[in-house]
């Protein structure tokens, strides 16, 4: 798993039996409206709230699978702090960037990650608050916004940047243009560093 949540999952109320996942979800007229994926059942029985991927999302994924045999998603190529954890740090909105790999398109565009200073203090990285015209409150918003693009596309991103100016912390908005990467880079093996020990 890439850590990416599945977007645009709809809730439905109907009888859901074991084995229904992956099956069709029809409306009362027999029209396809989604694909069943899971059920939340407080009792453990086949009763509760069912979840399905909307048919528009299914169409995009099916067409992509037919054309290329796999689903490739656009990504920024960064690591981030989950929103729930960011809220405990007092970050009320947006997605806090933790790491921006050196030499990546995000790094070349000027996106800044969180880092520890030489004195041991934590310097907060950029906080992504907008992608294109979509306001970003959580990582779910970020993934949803990126789904409208393709790998290689340039995307306009607005971030909040906190900087020390004259012994005071100041926050300002910065606009960046970043080329999206392919999720295929997540499938590449991480090189193993070999160490030689002298005897």
């Amino acid at each position: 798993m890439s850590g990416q949540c599945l977007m645009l999952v709809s809730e439905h109320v109907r009888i859901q039996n074991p084995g229904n996942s992956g099956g069709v979800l029809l409306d009362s007229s027999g029209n396809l409206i989604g694909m069943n994926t899971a059920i939340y059942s407080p009792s453990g029985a086949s009763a509760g709230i069912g979840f399905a991927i909307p048919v528009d999302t299914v169409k995009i994924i099916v067409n992509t699978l037919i054309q290329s045999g796999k689903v490739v998603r656009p990504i920024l190529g960064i690591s981030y702090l989950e929103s729930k954890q960011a809220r405990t740090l007092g970050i009320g909105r947006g997605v806090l960037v933790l790491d921006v790999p050196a030499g990546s398109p995000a790094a070349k565009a000027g996106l800044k990650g969180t880092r520890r200073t030489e004195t041991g203090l934590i310097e907060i990285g950029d906080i992504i608050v907008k992608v294109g015209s979509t306001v970003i409150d959580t990582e779910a918003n970020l993934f949803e916004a990126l789904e409208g693009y393709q790998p290689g596309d340039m995307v306009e991103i607005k971030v909040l940047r906190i900087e020390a100016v004259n012994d005071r912390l100041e926050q300002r908005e910065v606009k960046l243009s970043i080329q999206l990467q392919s999720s295929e880079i997540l499938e590449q093996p991480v090189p193993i560093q070999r160490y030689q020990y002298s005897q």
Side-chain angles (χ1 to χ4, degrees):
M1 294 294 289
S2 66
Q4 207 172 28
C5 60
L6 184 62
M7 294 313 306
L8 305 174
V9 175
S10 60
E11 295 178 22
H12 58 89
V13 179
R14 58 180 279 292
I15 297 171
Q16 179 122 345
N17 295 311
N20 277 10
S21 293
V24 297
L25 177 63
L26 307 173
D27 66 11
S28 60
S29 300
N31 298 311
L32 177 66
I33 59 172
M35 182 179 79
N36 295 314
T37 57
I39 185 171
Y40 169 70
S41 175
S43 66
S46 297
I49 300 171
F51 297 92
I53 301 172
V55 70
D56 291 340
T57 305
V58 172
K59 285 179 188 175
I60 292 168
I61 292 172
V62 167
N63 287 336
T64 303
L65 287 172
I66 290 169
Q67 290 172 5
S68 63
K70 59 185 170 183
V71 177
V72 177
R73 290 194 153 81
I75 61 171
L76 290 171
I78 61 166
S79 63
Y80 60 88
L81 186 65
E82 289 184 11
S83 301
K84 195 179 288 186
Q85 293 172 316
R87 300 304 175 259
T88 64
L89 296 176
I91 298 169
R93 66 182 178 119
V95 173
L96 173 62
V97 177
L98 288 181
D99 183 55
V100 181
S104 68
K108 290 175 185 173
L111 193 65
K112 294 188 176 189
T114 301
R115 68 180 194 94
R116 185 177 296 275
T117 66
E118 292 175 0
T119 59
L121 298 175
I122 299 295
E123 189 176 275
I124 297 292
D126 288 339
I127 302 166
I128 301 170
V129 293
K130 200 169 189 182
V131 173
S133 60
T134 305
V135 173
I136 307 299
D137 284 321
T138 66
E139 62 272 15
N141 302 138
L142 178 60
F143 296 138
E144 187 175 359
L146 293 177
E147 285 296 315
Y149 297 91
Q150 296 294 321
D153 286 352
M154 296 300 291
V155 62
E156 295 294 323
I157 293 182
K158 184 189 289 183
V159 300
L160 297 179
R161 184 168 289 170
I162 300 169
E163 296 176 316
V165 179
N166 298 328
D167 295 329
R168 284 181 38 215
L169 290 179
E170 291 187 4
Q171 177 179 289
R172 64 185 178 102
E173 287 186 352
V174 178
K175 291 183 181 178
L176 303 170
S177 184
I178 299 176
Q179 185 175 31
L180 296 174
Q181 294 179 278
S182 165
S183 58
E184 289 179 303
I185 66 165
L186 301 174
E187 299 167 12
Q188 296 173 358
V190 177
I192 298 173
Q193 292 186 348
R194 301 192 184 279
Y195 298 95
Q196 280 190 326
Y197 296 96
S198 57
Q199 295 182 352

